[in-house]
């Protein structure tokens, strides 16, 4: 039995093959559309926000090819935290608190990631994105 004879004896008609191919190809359409949409959103800017007692002290711009620098936060009581920014990531390098959990936390770079917290100094560093990709954010 050759292919032509198989087609003639089967229940598949020529238009059935065209419809199956068309549906198979169109099933990949959402992948293409959302892939194009995600590449357009990669231009979102990220910022690290330093808050002490709920008050914003400083905002650091996080850029992939950005500079590496340190920032020292010191309050009136003599408590200090040394913060390092390297490109698109940030970390706590040094602190004079007793437990040093904030220093051991390491680098953060993604919006919505668990923040760096120095509880003895009531200091928090969070990363926020301008495109609203973190949980609970609103775009106006």
């Amino acid at each position: 039995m050759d292919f032509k004879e198989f087609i003639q004896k089967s229940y598949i008609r020529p238009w059935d093959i065209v419809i199956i191919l068309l549906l198979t190809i169109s099933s990949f359409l959402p992948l293409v559309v959302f892939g194009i949409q995600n590449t357009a959103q990669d231009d979102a800017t990220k910022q690290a926000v330093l808050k002490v007692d709920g008050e914003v002290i400083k905002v650091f711009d996080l850029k992939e090819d950005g500079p590496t620098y340190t920032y020292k936060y010191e309050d009136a009581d003599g408590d200090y935290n040394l913060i390092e920014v390297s490109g698109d990531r940030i970390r706590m390098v040094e602190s004079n608190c007793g437990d040093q959990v904030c220093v051991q936390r390491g680098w953060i770079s993604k919006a919505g990631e668990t923040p760096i917290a120095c509880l003895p100094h009531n200091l928090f560093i969070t990363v926020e994105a301008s495109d609203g990709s973190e949980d609970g954010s609103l775009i106006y």
Side-chain angles (χ1 to χ4, degrees):
M1 181 184 325
D2 62 345
F3 183 70
K4 193 174 190 179
E5 190 178 330
F6 172 75
I7 294 294
Q8 288 174 350
K9 289 185 179 182
S10 70
Y11 291 110
I12 298 177
R13 301 290 173 233
W15 281 106
D16 294 341
I17 295 172
V18 171
I19 290 172
I20 290 171
L21 287 175
L22 184 65
L23 289 173
T24 304
I25 291 170
S26 66
S27 70
F28 290 99
L29 186 62
L31 181 66
V32 172
V33 169
F34 290 122
I36 291 171
Q37 186 179 13
N38 282 341
T39 57
Q41 291 181 355
D42 287 343
D43 297 336
T45 59
K46 291 189 296 183
Q47 295 178 331
V49 180
L50 170 65
K51 293 181 184 179
V52 177
D53 294 325
E55 181 182 331
V56 176
I57 302 298
K58 184 160 175 68
V59 177
F60 304 95
D61 289 327
L62 301 179
K63 296 178 184 171
E64 191 170 330
D65 297 329
T68 299
Y69 60 94
T70 57
Y71 173 79
K72 185 174 184 177
Y73 170 76
E74 191 167 0
D75 65 4
D77 297 338
D79 298 332
Y80 72 90
N81 296 81
L82 189 62
I83 300 161
E84 180 181 7
V85 177
S86 178
D88 65 343
R89 56 191 191 152
I90 188 167
R91 72 174 175 162
M92 187 83 61
V93 177
E94 186 180 331
S95 177
N96 67 344
C97 61
D99 56 6
Q100 298 290 307
V101 173
C102 55
V103 176
Q104 296 171 7
R105 169 66 176 91
W107 295 99
I108 61 171
S109 61
K110 295 179 183 161
E113 194 172 1
T114 305
I116 299 173
C118 184
L119 295 179
H121 299 163
N122 203 14
L123 179 140
F124 295 92
I125 301 174
T126 57
V127 177
E128 299 174 355
S130 66
D131 67 346
S133 62
E134 66 267 6
D135 294 337
S137 63
L138 297 174
I139 301 176
Y140 294 100

